């Protein structure tokens, strides 16, 4: 009888939450309760929901004779490519169709066609023991228990587009936006070895970059000053924090000190006088410095080999060799260093570094926490307790790791099911073929400004070729290929959105939730004076975190493997993933928060510069009117604007 009562009570609770043991299939999003019970039926009856998938404009409804023949503008790495054209062979085309079938992009479903995916014939060099493979397409439909499912994110709206079709139009390799982003990558490659502090009007290559980007006018979506790209906005992200202070975030430049005692209670470290050892043991973030005279994929044969994943003697045909890196490791100072960082980092390394810097510096935590100093005498305050696993540095550190996984999964959903955008190395190859006699019928339509024979764009490409020749790449002098920093070039998954960027947007958002993001970033010296920007204003934690996410995203661009929109859209997507994650995370606390009403909350400043309150059930803009107006005036490009009309 007791068992029967318990079962009945459970049924009532489930109905109250809108949850049934057998949830209906093909819903846009499973409810939280349905996801909690997903394991009960997953094996025999996998949950179905509408993943935001379908064919892209460049895939022309699946017809490989569409605007870009042979799927030339879609992600096709590791399939079989013709050595002369660089396009997919007949077998490669058939295998790309199998990929689409395996992903089941035409049918709303959580399932895959296992046989189709296994039947893809990836290029295999004779005698190959270990080969490159496609990276985790099946994670694109993974469920999650904390945060929102992949099906619920309308990535096009987060990126500022009214519809998915408008987003895909800009992501197409034939769009003016992509053309502008490709020119940006060419000039970034040209400036890889110039220190960020030398991005001045006296730098010839900087001026070359500015003329090239401004040649595109409004088609270039990066930040501008007075309607033009300037030395103050060059290669920067679209957040207010990106546009103030030095190019590099302070969180890439400040030292990580020893976490006395174990990072749990930094105030105890101060009581023990542990700070006297800071200079003895603190260390800077350093990277292996690549040899600037060694870049990859600059000859046509090498490019095709990279696309095929060709190997020789168990290695790529042009692998690393002695002399490709110098010693010792160095602090980041230029684009090549930044590209090196994002080639050797772990999933969320830069953000755990930021958490440690904040922890060692005993930066203030969120003011809504009862462990923080009370704003008024009557405010709720746990004066005899301190934060830790809840609302303290361990909370921030674990949140960074947990949300990074969810962000990566969401990025993979968008990569494989929404865009399947070809990497920059592919667009550069199409440009090379078109500029050296190939026609549109064979290689597809490109923005005419990529094909000009005179003007600043042609000069940029010529200078890139000269720079390649000066680096010892004499055989590359006649190509328009984009030099790659990495022997494998881009990873074997689609370009948009950037995984690094999506993870970055998510990680900095959860850090802002735990630490007060409005406090100044200070020098690690006695007195701890705040850092100031060029206008004499203090650099704030939240804004420098936004810049950190942008720096990491642009590091991938400096490497030659991503476009600007891959990064900017990815950061915005990651921010949303983190907010949905934090909403579920708030349900786990038992503390009373200093929040209006009865719900717990976080308050943080989003990438668009506006202040938000996050509760388990809502995301509310709480920016005061005056502050909101100041933010709008400060931002040169609104990252939430409708890009389809800009």
């Amino acid at each position: 009888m007791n068992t029967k009562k318990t079962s009945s009570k459970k049924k009532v609770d489930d109905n109250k939450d809108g949850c049934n043991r057998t949830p209906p299939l093909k819903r846009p999003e499973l409810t939280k309760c349905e996801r909690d019970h997903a394991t009960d039926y997953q094996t025999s009856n996998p949950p179905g929901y509408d993943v935001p998938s379908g064919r892209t404009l460049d895939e022309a409804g699946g017809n490989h004779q569409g605007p870009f023949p042979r799927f030339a503008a879609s992600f096709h790495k590791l399939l079989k490519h013709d050595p002369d054209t660089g396009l997919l062979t007949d077998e490669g085309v058939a295998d790309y169709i199998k990929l689409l079938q395996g992903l089941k992009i035409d049918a709303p479903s959580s399932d895959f066609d296992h046989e189709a995916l296994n039947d893809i014939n990836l290029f295999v060099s004779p005698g190959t023991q270990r080969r490159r493979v496609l990276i985790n397409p099946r994670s694109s439909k993974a469920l999650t228990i904390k945060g929102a499912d992949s099906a619920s994110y309308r990535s096009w709206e987060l990126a500022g587009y009214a519809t998915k079709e408008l987003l895909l139009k800009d992501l197409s390799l034939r769009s003016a936006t992509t053309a502008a982003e490709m020119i940006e990558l060419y000039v970034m490659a040209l400036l890889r070895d110039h220190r960020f502090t030398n991005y001045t009007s006296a730098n010839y290559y900087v001026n070359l970059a500015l003329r090239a980007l401004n040649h595109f006018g409004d088609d270039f979506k990066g930040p501008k000053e007075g309607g033009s790209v300037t030395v103050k906005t060059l290669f920067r992200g679209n957040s207010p924090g990106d546009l103030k202070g030095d190019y590099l975030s302070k969180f890439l430049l400040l030292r990580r000190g020893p976490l006395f005692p174990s990072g749990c209670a930094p105030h105890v470290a101060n009581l023990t006088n542990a700070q006297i050892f800071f200079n003895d043991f603190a260390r800077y973030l350093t990277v292996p410095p690549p040899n600037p005279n060694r870049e990859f994929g600059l000859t046509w044969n090498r490019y095709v080999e990279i696309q095929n994943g060709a190997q020789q003697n168990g290695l790529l045909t042009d692998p690393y060799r002695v002399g490709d890196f110098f010693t010792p490791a160095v602090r980041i100072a230029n684009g090549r260093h930044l590209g090196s960082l994002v080639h050797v980092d772990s999933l969320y390394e830069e953000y755990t570094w930021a958490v440690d810097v904040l922890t060692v510096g005993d930066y203030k935590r969120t003011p809504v926490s009862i462990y923080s100093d009370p704003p008024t005498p009557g405010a709720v305050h746990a004066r005899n307790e301190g934060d830790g696993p809840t609302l303290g540095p361990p909370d921030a550190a674990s949140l960074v790791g947990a949300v990074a996984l969810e962000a990566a999964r969401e990025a993979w959903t968008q990569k494989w099911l929404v865009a399947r955008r070809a990497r920059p190395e592919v667009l550069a190859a199409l440009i090379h073929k078109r500029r050296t006699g190939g026609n549109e019928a064979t290689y597809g339509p490109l923005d005419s400004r990529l094909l000009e024979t005179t003007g600043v764009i042609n000069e940029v490409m010529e200078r890139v070729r000269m720079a390649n020749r000066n680096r010892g790449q004499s055989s590359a002098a006649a190509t328009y290929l984009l030099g790659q920093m990495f022997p494998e070039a881009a990873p074997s998954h689609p370009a948009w959105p950037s995984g690094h960027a999506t993870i970055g947007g998510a990680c900095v958002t959860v850090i802002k939730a735990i630490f007060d993001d409005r406090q100044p970033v200070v020098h690690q010296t006695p007195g701890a004076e705040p850092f100031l920007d060029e206008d004499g204003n203090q650099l704030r934690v939240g804004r420098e975190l936004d810049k950190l996410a942008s720096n990491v995203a642009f590091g991938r661009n400096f490497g030659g493997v991503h476009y600007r929109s891959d990064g900017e859209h990815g950061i915005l997507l990651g921010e949303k993933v983190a907010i949905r994650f934090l909403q579920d995370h708030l349900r786990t606390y038992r503390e009373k928060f200093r929040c209006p009403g009865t719900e717990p909350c976080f308050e943080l400043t989003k990438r668009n510069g506006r202040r938000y309150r996050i509760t388990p059930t809502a995301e509310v803009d709480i920016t005061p009117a005056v502050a909101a107006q100041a933010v709008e005036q400060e931002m040169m490009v609104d990252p939430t604007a409708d890009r389809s009309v800009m």
Side-chain angles (χ1 to χ4, degrees):
M1 178 173 270
N2 289 339
T3 302
K4 185 175 181 180
K5 286 183 178 179
T6 302
S7 177
S8 175
K9 179 64 164 61
K10 178 65 176 176
K11 183 176 181 180
V12 171
D13 288 344
D14 283 351
N15 289 336
K16 180 180 178 181
D17 294 340
C19 180
N20 296 304
R21 284 288 179 175
T22 309
L25 297 180
K26 292 181 173 59
R27 291 185 50 175
E29 180 188 0
L30 298 178
T31 67
K32 180 68 169 69
C33 191
E34 287 168 344
R35 285 185 275 123
D36 287 343
H37 295 303
T39 54
D40 292 349
Y41 58 86
Q42 193 166 8
T43 301
S44 60
N45 186 19
Y49 48 87
D50 292 337
V51 177
S53 57
R55 298 183 185 275
T56 71
L57 303 178
D58 287 345
E59 288 167 346
N63 178 2
H64 69 275
Q65 296 300 329
F68 283 93
R70 313 188 81 78
F71 299 113
S74 300
F75 179 79
H76 45 71
K77 196 162 191 171
L78 305 187
L79 304 183
K80 293 181 175 64
H81 295 77
D82 181 88
D84 295 324
T85 66
L87 303 176
L88 289 177
T89 63
D90 289 345
E91 186 177 0
V93 167
D95 284 323
Y96 189 82
I97 293 173
K98 291 175 185 175
L99 172 63
L100 298 181
Q101 293 171 342
L103 292 170
K104 287 190 174 180
I105 65 163
D106 289 326
S109 171
S110 60
D111 200 7
F112 300 88
D113 187 329
H114 180 79
E115 292 184 2
L117 291 172
N118 271 359
D119 199 35
I120 295 172
N121 296 294
L122 300 181
F123 181 93
V124 179
S125 298
T128 299
Q129 299 299 318
R130 299 182 64 184
R131 61 192 177 98
R132 296 188 71 182
V133 295
L134 303 176
I135 303 301
N136 209 186
R138 299 187 200 224
S139 66
S140 62
K141 297 179 183 178
L143 285 170
T144 185
I145 300 302
K146 196 170 182 179
D149 286 329
S150 59
S152 69
Y153 293 100
R154 300 172 67 85
S155 56
W156 49 94
E157 292 181 354
L158 297 175
Y161 295 86
T163 67
K164 184 178 69 173
E165 288 68 30
L166 288 172
L167 167 67
L168 293 177
K169 182 179 178 181
D170 264 4
L171 296 185
S172 168
L173 296 201
R174 53 178 159 161
S175 78
T177 297
T178 297
E181 292 182 349
M182 189 66 207
I183 292 300
E184 183 178 43
L185 294 180
Y186 276 122
V187 293
M188 289 182 86
L190 192 60
L191 281 162
R192 278 174 183 155
D193 299 303
H194 292 244
R195 298 178 70 89
F196 295 122
T197 53
N198 291 337
Y199 282 16
T200 68
S201 57
N203 187 315
Y204 172 80
Y205 293 103
V206 167
N207 284 310
L208 195 66
L210 298 180
R211 290 200 304 273
L213 295 176
N214 285 320
H215 185 55
F216 279 85
D218 291 341
D219 290 329
F220 178 67
K221 303 297 197 264
K224 299 180 175 71
E225 184 179 38
S228 298
V229 183
T230 70
V231 292
K232 294 182 180 180
T233 66
L234 185 64
F235 305 155
R236 297 207 182 208
N238 288 9
S239 78
D242 278 288
L243 305 175
K244 298 294 183 181
D246 297 331
Y247 183 84
L248 291 174
S249 168
K250 295 304 177 187
F251 290 107
L252 290 175
L253 302 175
L254 291 173
R255 289 176 289 174
R256 181 191 182 277
L259 296 173
F260 296 104
S262 302
C264 295
H267 65 283
V268 175
N270 295 333
L271 293 174
T272 64
N273 203 30
Q275 64 267 24
I276 64 175
F277 300 111
F278 179 85
N279 288 327
D280 294 326
F281 300 112
R283 58 189 179 90
Y284 288 106
L285 180 65
T286 59
V287 298
N291 184 342
N293 293 318
R294 267 281 278 172
E295 295 192 346
F296 303 90
L298 284 169
T299 67
W300 185 254
N301 288 342
R302 291 298 190 211
Y303 165 76
V304 176
E305 288 170 350
I306 288 172
Q307 297 313 300
N308 286 334
Q311 298 181 26
Q312 187 175 4
N313 300 321
L315 298 171
L316 297 179
T317 54
D318 188 19
Y320 279 133
R321 63 193 187 200
V322 175
D324 282 346
F325 290 95
F326 300 139
T327 55
V330 298
R331 294 167 62 187
I332 298 169
N334 60 35
R336 195 174 297 277
H337 297 158
L338 200 56
S340 183
L341 170 68
V342 295
H343 196 219
V344 301
D345 59 340
S346 62
L347 189 65
Y348 47 88
E349 177 180 330
E350 295 86 356
Y351 310 105
T352 58
W353 186 280
V355 169
D356 287 347
V357 168
L358 292 168
T359 301
V360 171
D362 203 10
Y363 280 74
K364 294 180 181 179
R365 262 72 85 190
T366 173
V368 301
S369 168
I370 60 172
Y371 305 116
S372 298
D373 293 337
T376 61
V380 58
H381 184 211
R383 65 176 182 272
N384 291 326
E385 306 169 61
D387 57 36
T390 57
L391 299 171
D395 202 355
S398 61
L399 276 172
V400 163
V403 82
L405 175 60
E406 300 304 329
R409 287 180 171 184
E410 184 55 38
W412 259 242
T413 295
Q414 305 296 326
K415 283 175 180 288
W416 287 110
L417 300 181
V418 176
R420 293 178 294 283
R421 190 186 202 184
R423 295 278 181 166
E425 61 199 28
V426 172
L427 179 52
L430 295 175
I431 293 170
H432 171 71
K433 283 297 188 181
R434 289 293 309 277
R435 291 179 67 94
T436 54
N439 57 41
E440 180 176 324
T442 302
Y443 295 102
L446 297 176
D447 187 283
S448 61
R449 288 167 289 187
L450 294 175
L451 308 176
E452 292 175 349
T453 56
T454 59
V456 66
I457 296 177
N458 190 65
E459 184 180 358
V460 166
M461 294 182 179
E462 179 63 27
R463 290 293 179 178
V464 169
R465 291 191 293 163
M466 289 178 60
N468 292 335
R469 187 185 306 141
N470 293 336
R471 292 186 180 110
Q473 303 285 348
S474 58
S475 60
T479 76
Y480 291 94
L481 300 174
L482 178 65
Q484 301 289 298
M485 280 187 57
F486 320 134
E488 75 281 14
S492 52
H493 49 80
W496 184 93
S498 163
H500 270 77
T502 309
I503 290 167
C507 288
V508 300
T509 302
V510 298
I511 298 173
K512 293 178 194 176
I514 300 299
F515 289 91
D516 184 356
D517 61 25
R518 295 172 296 183
Q519 62 188 308
V521 183
V522 298
H523 290 267
Q524 294 174 315
T525 56
E529 293 295 324
F531 287 100
L532 303 179
D533 66 19
E534 60 275 13
D535 298 321
N537 299 315
Q538 295 178 347
L539 296 179
R540 304 288 176 174
V541 166
R543 291 190 167 191
E544 288 300 293
L545 287 171
D546 288 333
K547 188 187 295 182
L548 175 62
S550 294
N551 287 161
V552 170
F554 274 99
R556 300 294 281 174
N557 298 10
F558 274 111
V561 301
H562 274 296
Y563 308 90
R564 167 180 283 273
S565 54
D566 298 343
E568 189 64 34
H569 296 174
I571 292 172
L572 295 173
L573 177 63
E575 180 179 66
K576 188 64 173 180
V577 169
I579 289 172
R580 296 293 295 272
F581 190 91
L582 288 171
Q583 288 183 300
D584 278 350
H585 188 66
L586 279 166
R587 303 176 193 274
T588 68
Y589 293 108
R590 289 297 175 263
E591 284 88 350
K592 178 177 176 59
F593 284 64
R594 296 175 185 145
C595 302
T598 59
E599 288 189 305
C601 74
F602 286 120
E603 291 184 359
L604 55 89
T605 308
K606 290 176 63 173
R607 185 171 173 83
N608 63 10
R610 301 178 72 94
R611 192 80 178 163
Y612 280 77
R613 179 175 296 121
I614 313 299
T615 73
T617 57
E619 174 189 346
V620 182
D621 188 341
I622 58 172
T623 310
V626 174
Q629 183 178 9
V631 167
E632 295 301 325
Q633 292 176 347
E634 184 177 30
M635 294 189 65
M636 301 174 191
V637 172
D638 182 355
T640 63
D642 186 347
R643 300 280 189 252
S644 64
V645 296
M646 290 185 65

